[in-house]
Amino acid sequence: MSDLVPADTTEDVRTRGDGVSRQVAVLPVGSFEQHGPYLPLATDTLVACAVAREIAGAYPVHLLPPVTISCSHEHAAWPGTVSISSVTLHAVVRDIAASLSRSGVDALVVVNGHGGNYVLGNVVQESSARGERMALFPAPEDWEAARERAGVVASLLTDMHAGEIETSILLHAHPEMLRPGYETSDFVADDRRHLLTLGMSGYTDSGVIGRPSLGSAEKGKELLASLADSFGAYFSLLTSDG
């Protein structure tokens, strides 16, 4: 689990910064919420960190440690889930961006691993409106491109939580973290129009919405590779002079 925390020294950061026109920091944001009986509560953090590490392996970015608790209120019915308010998450990301700016890093990419962190879109929009350089990654289009490249069968609508994508990424990046049972835990609930009112417990007893039985380590590897490729456009946008 030590790979969740970057091993950089301050000199590593200084050297990397000397080689680029503008420094870009990457902040993984996960969650601590139920993912059924076979995936860990930290799944979204593990996924966000896996994506961020893949990015850091391909681009000269300043990789930050993850935010591990976020907005998981829709999962409150399950033991182990912990949340902070959207106001708090907003403030945490803004404070991190301001701190980075003071140390000479003026571009921030938030790598979001939890779909319920809606407020991160507001943070990025508000920062961009102020003329700051910030982006939210991956976008739905990036996930769709990754899904197609990896041969993920379930649609993004069906693969909502603890499904094929998350299971595949953990099978590739952290296979030791999975418990037996994902092979027989498929559950589909595509119509979730009252999710914000009812929470996840209004749609699933197990906590799973998706088809984890279709997950594989090879799909996880291809998902991450595709997302790293997609990140190139974000890196160019944030480091351009425009």
Side-chain angles (χ1 to χ4, degrees):
M1 297 297 288
S2 60
D3 57 358
L4 297 181
V5 180
D8 281 348
T9 67
T10 187
E11 289 306 314
D12 294 330
V13 177
R14 189 194 310 276
T15 300
R16 188 184 304 114
D18 288 341
V20 296
S21 59
R22 177 173 282 109
Q23 292 191 68
V24 177
V26 173
L27 175 67
V29 178
S31 71
F32 200 71
E33 65 186 36
Q34 71 84 20
H35 275 76
Y38 59 87
L39 290 182
L41 294 162
T43 290
D44 289 341
T45 298
L46 295 170
V47 169
C49 286
V51 174
R53 284 197 311 274
E54 196 82 10
I55 289 169
Y59 304 89
V61 298
H62 178 27
L63 181 60
L64 301 174
V67 176
T68 59
I69 296 177
S70 60
C71 303
S72 300
H73 306 89
E74 70 274 28
H75 299 278
W78 280 270
T81 297
V82 182
S83 289
I84 58 177
S85 72
S86 60
V87 173
T88 299
L89 183 57
H90 189 294
V92 167
V93 176
R94 287 291 308 129
D95 283 357
I96 290 171
S99 178
L100 288 166
S101 181
R102 288 192 293 272
S103 65
V105 181
D106 61 355
L108 175 63
V109 178
V110 179
V111 175
N112 181 33
H114 171 47
N117 289 335
Y118 312 115
V119 70
L120 294 177
N122 297 110
V123 177
V124 172
Q125 284 185 322
E126 292 164 15
S127 298
S128 298
R130 288 190 295 267
E132 301 165 12
R133 291 177 182 258
M134 191 180 293
L136 182 61
F137 183 81
E141 293 84 356
D142 301 314
W143 278 118
E144 182 60 30
R147 187 188 73 82
E148 293 179 2
R149 173 167 161 178
V152 169
V153 177
S155 68
L156 293 181
L157 174 65
T158 295
D159 195 62
M160 188 260 190
H161 189 71
E164 185 177 0
I165 287 176
E166 290 183 323
T167 300
S168 293
I169 291 177
L170 261 65
L171 283 170
H172 168 64
H174 293 283
E176 74 284 358
M177 298 294 287
L178 277 82
R179 308 281 180 91
Y182 70 87
E183 306 91 341
T184 57
S185 295
D186 290 6
F187 182 78
V188 176
D190 284 352
D191 187 345
R192 304 183 295 270
R193 70 187 71 189
H194 302 300
L195 178 66
L196 296 181
T197 301
L198 299 176
M200 286 285 287
S201 61
Y203 294 95
T204 171
D205 292 330
S206 68
V208 177
I209 296 180
R211 300 182 66 189
S213 68
L214 300 175
S216 72
E218 182 58 32
K219 288 178 182 178
K221 180 180 179 180
E222 288 301 312
L223 284 162
L224 294 176
S226 177
L227 291 174
D229 288 345
S230 295
F231 184 78
Y234 294 76
F235 186 78
S236 296
L237 181 65
L238 291 173
T239 57
S240 68
D241 293 329

